[in-house]
Amino acid sequence: MILNPALLYASLWTLLLFLYSLRFSDLLLPLSTDAFLFFSASISMFLLGYILFIIISKKCLIYIKLNHEIYKEWIFSRHTTKVLSILTKVLIVGLITELIYFQNVPLVSLLGIGKIIRYTEFGFPGIHGLLNATLLVIITILFVRHLYKPSKLNFTLILLAFSWPILLVTRQLFLTIAVQLIFLYILIKGASFKGFVKIILMIFGLIFIFGYIGDLRSGRDGIIALARPTIEYPDYLPSGLLWAYIYIVSPLNNVVNNVNITPYYAPIGTISGLIPSFARNYLIELLGISPPAWELVNETLNVSSMHEKFLIDYGPFFSNFIYFIISFFSYFIVKRSFNDPRYGFALVVILHAIVFSFFTDFMFHLVFVAQFIYYITIFKRPILDA
């Protein structure tokens, strides 16, 4: 079920609606009928996309049985090694260039050392996103190599990759890496009870790190003042729990506040997510596009899940039709992942986008579309036995 896009989406958003209904924060608005129907319809559309695929293909695809021999041969092949080497060199040159140009990294800057630079200011627009996509391709392939053939070198490189988002003080990239590696672990090793316990422990570790990075930015008292918990928040509980809760439910809060927005009825936001920020801002100004007013409940909590983009572009009805299409076509990726590692990695990108659908739209995001395309285009198709 974990590797099934529609079932993952349905489970996730059912849980999110339950967490929202608890209303542990005074910031949260009552769940309106229109918002509840929209969220319920989005779950139904993902499930209907899956049902249509079952009817057409006569395959349920609840469990993924990989051809591990093909995966091993592909992952350790000369071609994959060569491409990995080229991508690593490109990444190193790109990161060193950024370090030289910006003369510091946000974490060191927060510690009061060197030039002051915020995490939002680091990186060349557009290029930085492609470098992140390259990093994700490299670390995911190294991780699968490590799962098949444990190596101290690969393990060290994976840890180094994790250190990069920490230096940049960017929780999004850190969590992206972690979630994609978790899905790859389940894809390759399966979801045993022991593996499930490891995943739970990793999630708690991520919450701790998430809260710690949040405290570095605004302090423990800052998040308590921002979240306005309905109960007195105990001192003995780590701030990461409150950080996690408010960041999980506040996007839904913003959707509840804007569910009846008047849309463009055009894919402005969908396309803009695929364009580097500097070019996107220029084109929006050049074309005189004025986005509908999306009103935030709190200016600090400025994310609104993947639904924001689709509601602004298409409105509630047509948004759910898009979700149906996404769900239906994702199962062709699932089907091909059995014997083609490229699609196994691409599936992980889709699943990761679903996990973060409560936060933002990663389905049509430059970094993850680039990562998806990297897997499918620059790596050779595995040779299958006749």
Side-chain angles (χ1 to χ4, degrees), residues 197-303:
V197 171
K198 288 181 180 178
I199 291 170
I200 295 297
L201 292 174
M202 185 178 294
I203 289 172
F204 277 105
L206 290 174
I207 290 174
F208 174 79
I209 295 170
F210 184 85
Y212 177 72
I213 296 176
D215 288 346
L216 281 176
R217 290 186 183 178
S218 58
R220 177 185 173 87
D221 294 337
I223 183 58
I224 292 175
L226 174 65
R228 290 164 50 191
T230 53
I231 58 173
E232 185 175 346
Y233 194 71
D235 290 335
Y236 60 83
L237 286 179
S239 64
L241 290 175
L242 190 56
W243 270 108
Y245 179 76
I246 201 63
Y247 268 84
I248 286 171
V249 298
S250 62
L252 278 71
N253 203 32
N254 288 327
V255 175
V256 170
N257 198 42
N258 294 275
V259 70
N260 292 315
I261 194 170
T262 302
Y264 284 123
Y265 292 116
I268 305 298
T270 308
I271 294 173
S272 68
L274 304 175
I275 303 172
S277 57
F278 69 92
R280 179 170 63 243
N281 296 336
Y282 173 76
L283 285 173
I284 288 175
E285 185 178 341
L286 180 67
L287 298 173
I289 297 171
S290 179
W294 184 270
E295 297 180 3
L296 301 172
V297 177
N298 183 291
E299 292 297 326
T300 304
L301 301 169
N302 57 2
V303 294

Side-chain angles (χ1 to χ4, degrees), residues 313-329:
D313 279 2
Y314 312 108
F317 179 80
F318 290 107
S319 291
N320 282 311
F321 178 72
I322 298 296
Y323 302 151
F324 171 80
I325 297 297
I326 290 172
S327 174
F328 176 70
F329 283 102

Side-chain angles (χ1 to χ4, degrees), residues 9-10 13-21 29-45 252-253 255-260 307 311 316 320 323:
Y9 182 89
W13 277 89
T14 301
L15 175 61
L16 289 172
L17 288 173
F18 170 72
L19 291 174
Y20 188 91
S21 70
L29 302 172
L31 184 62
S32 66
T33 301
D34 286 345
F36 177 75
L37 289 175
F38 170 69
F39 290 132
S40 300
S42 75
I43 294 171
S44 299
M45 287 301 102
L252 278 71
N253 203 32
V255 175
V256 170
N257 198 42
N258 294 275
V259 70
N260 292 315
H307 296 307
L311 282 171
N320 282 311
Y323 302 151

Side-chain angles (χ1 to χ4, degrees), residues 120-134:
T120 54
E121 301 167 341
F122 186 89
F124 302 117
I127 295 174
H128 186 71
L130 293 176
L131 288 175
N132 285 341
T134 306

Side-chain angles (χ1 to χ4, degrees), residues 50-92:
Y50 176 39
I51 292 169
L52 178 62
F53 179 85
I54 293 175
I55 293 171
I56 292 174
S57 69
K58 297 181 174 55
K59 295 179 182 292
C60 288
L61 302 184
I62 293 179
Y63 300 104
I64 296 179
K65 285 191 68 175
L66 300 184
N67 188 325
H68 286 286
E69 291 305 313
I70 291 176
Y71 267 69
K72 287 178 185 177
E73 183 177 345
W74 183 91
I75 205 78
F76 292 106
S77 70
R78 183 178 299 178
H79 173 75
T80 300
T81 302
K82 182 180 178 180
V83 173
L84 205 59
S85 175
I86 293 170
L87 290 177
T88 302
K89 290 172 184 175
V90 170
L91 179 65
I92 290 172

